[in-house]
């Protein structure tokens, strides 16, 4: 893939704005989006990596921006309902037309994710700052390339089953937590022409996106989710071919 | 399964009401829903089979009715947009909670189907009244039990690929048409606790639902989609268990 | 399903014969197969449940026996290579023709399992007698019916990823272990007309098959894996239909 | 992928040797393998493409050759049973360790394919030289890139369902035939670390491998099946990690 990948990291940005949790600015001085973008720039030096947040006009997700985005990353938590429905529909249309989408952590409840999957996307959770171990169960998948198994995250919120999602195309990672819970923490979906990767580590209370192995997973995800160069970005539509083949 | 299955056949009923196509009343004197219900009663004599249409109050899909429905069948075509959004949301909630759903033919564009699947569900079509052959490719699946391969439908509208759906849990039937097209005509999905079966034969222009083998598929589908007796009908919801296991 | 299910519990029986581990006869006085059979008889009172072991003539797996078996359960560990190749081929032929197969714990290395799956079926292991938690991730699957999540096994050998199996049809259970490892402990496959369920708890060092919830899983598995009544037991074979349909 | 892909096209070569069908040398003067190799060289100019046949010492599939092969293509038909079991086991070991494998047409009955899949891989067939239409049903899959839908093959043997294979990872192509039959003609599997792609067009009676779109599919398949550069070629093996993570 010789072209520059055009990547957009979206974050609601409300935790950082409101200093909630207090001190978040110490480990995320440039916001969650800033840390994610920095990791991608380190590992994908040829990519163009931008950021956008809820407070930007149209949340920074205009038609023009989306049309030149190969892969969108989405982090949201406490402001899902502040995302404009028209913007959500626009993002979803672009995913169905071939824009890659990485949904992160509490983004499991983002409108665009639940609308693309059709289920509640609910899960069990407990925030005790315990160790998370991320085990690779499909090592041939591109998002697992070069990722240690287990990937060790010293402190993280527990996300546990039952994770109410449709069966994924590929189950790549399963996490365990110190409390004994398990979670399908790395799963892929195809919707329309769009490739979707959900990866659960990344709570705002812990500096997870500075973790080099987590950055590796996200960079792998971006490369995997990008449509091949030259693919027409078009939502599938009903057609009457008006001819036959026999 | 010793209890009586409670089945509801829903049809928008607009083609019949408007005599469109002219003469539809000759082969569907009791409506498309009436023919489907008759087939189910023949093959599932212990089931309680009811019907409802768009013109019924709340489209006949009240909370009370849905709460005592094990499996809902859905036929719609030209009035998808007349289905009330609140009713659609109610039906979808019941599916996610465990009510079985059979979506038929042009129901691929029903709000509840596209919302549960997340994709456009668009497809190619051509209505020449040609022969459709329905081939079984997963003979161990319960919906294929006792169904000949191919199931021959003398005249039917062509539905062809690309069918824009997520990868199904199981691909049970593939159809070919006289024009050479193919279609994944029998596919299953799980969404939340609900089992969903889409089966494509059944255009309003042809008396497909009187076909004994088609009736067999629908009866199989109903038995398969019903949740086991005693299962709590509840939509999965986010939880904090508030305890650990180690 | 009104007929009596005919179930055969196969165990190599070598651990019991050799009192290895010493004292196995105290918690498995009737052998591992005896405990499994007792659990099935308790939960499936209408089933005919028999047992067979390696030392029986033809390992108790004659053509006649297999032809009247609906579901075979397989436990083996240290004597996989003593299973006669002709017997293995016979069992495999019956599975492909529609006999259900439940493979238990160290049976992951049984000839018949690796031959049906095609991979090494290797895994990571550590026998420290730690707690295993078995979490349900597909609650709508029949093998999960009535099973608590997590199912708690106080002491058990650790089986961990990477489990080298093909992607299963359904991933029903994921286990975690006190050491932090995870394992896809309940997975289903279809091969030919045969339904296969692998369930990992059950090391010879611990009285796992007396656990009521484990017995529930096995009874569910037996019901799920049995082919519908009246199905012809036949291995798919190449055919030239000698005619066309158009 | 900057390195040169090393590709080996294997063909039993018996049809060509025996001039069966008479005149095969006219459309395949360099053998089926020669035509396939020429297509790959045209579309993958940076790849090293070699060939081997049954009559070569060890069928041309020595340990040394396989160790430096990224992707192996396999065409066989009337000489499957002449493939040495030790060679088949060696090829299979390399696939499980990460060598890509493309299995073509009548190779569905090749020992290495049936051993990797575990099923009979039988199918229905009829050789009338009728038109085959290959429809894309997963356009986002790399093997479908740039392939028209339908891909039209003027004359080809019919291969039809039931194709006795395990559920594939991805169903990319479905074919229809003039007689009305359908076939899952492009399917992928993962076994161990190996990616496998089966593509059915290619009977010895017709010059299918000169078809530019067929060549496109094979070139796509080769790129897709190759493991990422730098991946250790190792068959998964059972391990006792001898430590815990908590």
């Amino acid at each position: 893939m010789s072209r520059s990948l055009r990547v957009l990291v979206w974050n609601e940005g409300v935790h950082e704005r409101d200093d909630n949790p207090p001190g978040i600015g110490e480990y995320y001085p440039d916001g969650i989006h800033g840390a994610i973008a920095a990791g991608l720039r380190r590992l994908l030096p040829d990519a163009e990596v931008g950021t956008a947040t809820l407070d930007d006009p149209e949340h920074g997700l205009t038609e023009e921006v989306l049309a030149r985005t190969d892969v969108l990353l989405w982090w949201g938590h406490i402001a899902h309902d502040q995302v404009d429905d028209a913007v959500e529909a626009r993002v979803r249309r672009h995913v169905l037309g071939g824009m890659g989408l990485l949904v992160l952590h509490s983004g499991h409840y983002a409108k665009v994710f639940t609308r693309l999957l059709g289920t509640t996307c609910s899960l069990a959770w407990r925030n005790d700052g315990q160790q998370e171990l991320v085990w690779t169960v499909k090592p041939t998948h591109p998002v697992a390339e070069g990722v240690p198994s287990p990937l060790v995250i010293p402190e993280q919120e527990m996300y546990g089953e039952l994770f109410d999602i449709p069966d994924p195309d590929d189950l790549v990672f399963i996490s365990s937590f110190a409390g004994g819970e398990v979670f399908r923490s790395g799963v892929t979906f195809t919707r329309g022409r769009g490739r979707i990767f959900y990866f659960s580590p990344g709570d705002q209370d812990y500096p997870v996106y500075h973790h080099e192995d987590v950055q590796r997973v996200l960079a792998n995800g971006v490369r995997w989710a990008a449509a091949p160069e030259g693919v027409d970005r078009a939502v599938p539509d009903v057609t009457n071919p008006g001819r036959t083949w026999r």
Side-chain angles (χ1 to χ4, degrees), chain A residues 10-14 17 52-61 66 72 74-92 106-107 109-115:
Chain A
W10 193 89
N11 173 21
E12 59 182 32
V14 176
R17 188 188 66 197
T53 66
L54 187 72
D55 289 343
D56 293 331
E58 301 190 47
H59 313 325
L61 299 167
L66 293 174
L72 176 69
W74 192 280
W75 198 100
H77 180 215
I78 52 176
H80 292 315
D81 61 353
Q82 296 174 39
V83 173
D84 186 79
D85 282 342
V87 173
E88 182 279 326
R90 188 190 297 152
V91 171
R92 182 156 37 97
S106 43
Y109 262 163
K111 285 180 187 177
V112 70
F113 192 59
T114 58
R115 282 296 299 263

Side-chain angles (χ1 to χ4, degrees), chain A residues 4 22 25 34 48 66 76 80 91 100-101 103 114 127 135 139 143 150 153 158 160 164 186-188 201 225 234 239:
Chain A
S4 286
E48 302 170 20
L66 293 174
H80 292 315
V91 171
L101 179 68
V103 176
T114 58
N127 192 358
W135 299 86
V143 303
I153 300 176
M158 184 281 288
D164 180 33
V187 285
T188 69
T239 55

Side-chain angles (χ1 to χ4, degrees), chain A residues 215-236:
Chain A
Q215 293 179 349
R216 170 70 60 190
V217 172
L218 299 188
N220 286 344
V222 163
R223 278 191 300 195
W224 169 81
E229 195 170 3
V231 162
D232 186 32
R233 184 80 71 83
V235 178

Side-chain angles (χ1 to χ4, degrees), chain A residues 94 183 186 241:
Chain A
H94 277 274
F183 192 66

Side-chain angles (χ1 to χ4, degrees), chain A residues 135-149 151 171-173 188 197 213 216-218 220-221 223-224:
Chain A
W135 299 86
T136 298
V137 298
K138 185 130 189 174
T140 54
H141 198 285
V143 303
E145 206 176 317
V147 178
S149 182
L151 186 169
L171 171 64
V172 186
F173 301 119
T188 69
F197 173 50
D213 294 327
R216 170 70 60 190
V217 172
L218 299 188
N220 286 344
R223 278 191 300 195
W224 169 81

Side-chain angles (χ1 to χ4, degrees), chain A residues 134-144 161 163 165-175 182-189 196-200 224:
Chain A
V134 185
W135 299 86
T136 298
V137 298
K138 185 130 189 174
T140 54
H141 198 285
V143 303
E161 298 287 340
F163 189 19
I165 50 172
D167 275 5
D169 287 5
D170 281 303
L171 171 64
V172 186
F173 301 119
I174 297 174
S175 288
V182 299
F183 192 66
R184 289 170 290 171
S185 50
V187 285
T188 69
F189 304 90
I196 303 169
F197 173 50
Y198 174 80
F199 187 61
S200 65
W224 169 81

